[in-house]
Amino acid sequence: MNTTVVANVTYDESGGFSVRECKTIRTGTSAYSATGGEKALTKLVSFLRKKQIETVVLSIHTPCFFPLDTVFPKNISDTTFDAHCRAEAGFLLSKPGEYMHDNIPYTLKPEQRPVRKHLVFYYPDTLFGLLHHRLRAFCSISDATLYLKPMIRSVAATLQPFALLEIEHEYATFSAGSNGELEHFSYWRLNHQNDAEYFALRELMINPHYKQHPIYITGNLSLDKSFIERLSDAAGKILSPLNLVDLYAMENNAPSSCCTPIELKALSAAFVNLCDRKTS
């Protein structure tokens, strides 16, 4: 990734959600971790200082990640949950100590009690550790997460049925849920753009009830309008580009529309963090 986006979302009881900042900085994770990364990071630090931003949430698009469906006891402490995730990593990864993890619980079904199914993401911790080390002198890092967690949660937070198709050059994901919770997640590695069309259509054929939900699409391949049109025609369903500003009727005071894939990652993280603080 060669760009970084800094997003700021506020909430007012009378006016609702507002986007105060959505700034793209022309340097990204590939530059931060390369030789001479300090120079690249200076651009980010300079912007944070200029805007007097003292606390940030890191949401990063890592080169690779590994999703895993697993089941844990329903009533489990955070410490025990973390220990279980690390134990699972030992079976999945050759160097489990070099990975972080996030999770999203699936909808709790009656037949699952007293256990609950979770979607766990494992991803390398090198970049997170590097950014935390370099940024901590300038600001406080309140949270760090793989971008998919806040993206899925931000769409689910509408409390309406949804399906989210994300198509990148290397992989595609499909998420679906309702009532604010995740019900389904699929992930595929891609060798060609045509693979994305195949897997997306196959997903809707296997789970036809999700065609009744609004289907949002994002990811770098979603910028290809002809691709979206072909996929919509084949699916017999309009796929709507994901736009949180429209989805939540946010007031947008930023020059950008905040709807490109990289902007959505930052905006989702800021939005979810604000919602968590509101309910805590």
Side-chain angles (χ1 to χ4, degrees), residues 169-278:
H169 293 286
E170 302 85 7
Y171 63 87
T173 69
F174 182 84
S175 315
S178 59
N179 299 315
E181 296 190 312
L182 180 66
E183 298 173 357
H184 177 84
F185 179 83
S186 293
Y187 168 85
W188 318 279
R189 297 294 301 179
L190 303 178
N191 295 316
H192 191 274
Q193 181 172 317
N194 290 341
D195 293 344
E197 297 181 49
Y198 169 79
F199 284 119
L201 293 173
R202 180 176 177 272
E203 193 70 31
L204 293 174
M205 289 177 64
I206 294 174
N207 302 286
H209 54 288
Y210 290 136
K211 287 181 66 173
Q212 309 306 314
H213 297 357
I215 301 179
Y216 304 104
I217 186 168
T218 187
N220 283 313
L221 286 183
S222 72
L223 299 176
D224 184 340
K225 292 184 178 179
S226 63
F227 171 72
I228 294 182
E229 290 174 358
R230 290 198 310 273
L231 195 54
S232 295
D233 289 342
K237 173 78 175 184
I238 294 177
L239 307 183
S240 304
L242 179 61
N243 187 330
L244 292 190
V245 173
D246 292 343
L247 196 61
Y248 288 93
M250 294 186 190
E251 179 184 351
N252 187 6
N253 296 312
S256 168
S257 63
C258 298
C259 62
T260 66
I262 183 66
E263 289 172 331
L264 280 167
K265 292 176 175 67
L267 189 60
S268 295
F271 175 73
V272 167
N273 181 258
L274 175 61
C275 290
D276 286 346
R277 286 192 283 117
K278 280 177 66 227

Side-chain angles (χ1 to χ4, degrees), residues 105-109 112 116-117 177-178 181-183:
Y106 284 100
T107 299
L108 182 62
K109 299 181 179 179
Q112 291 180 338
R116 186 168 192 174
K117 184 179 176 183
S178 59
E181 296 190 312
L182 180 66
E183 298 173 357

Side-chain angles (χ1 to χ4, degrees), residues 33-86:
S33 55
T35 302
E38 286 289 348
K39 183 178 180 180
L41 193 65
T42 298
K43 292 184 180 180
L44 176 58
V45 171
S46 176
F47 180 79
L48 296 177
R49 281 176 164 171
K50 178 181 177 181
K51 295 294 182 176
Q52 298 182 325
I53 298 172
E54 299 179 349
T55 303
V56 298
V57 178
L58 293 180
S59 176
I60 297 180
H61 190 149
T62 62
C64 67
F65 63 90
F66 303 96
L68 174 70
D69 282 344
T70 189
V71 175
F72 294 120
K74 179 175 176 289
N75 298 316
I76 185 173
S77 69
D78 291 342
T79 300
T80 305
F81 187 93
D82 183 70
H84 276 290
C85 286
R86 295 190 181 282

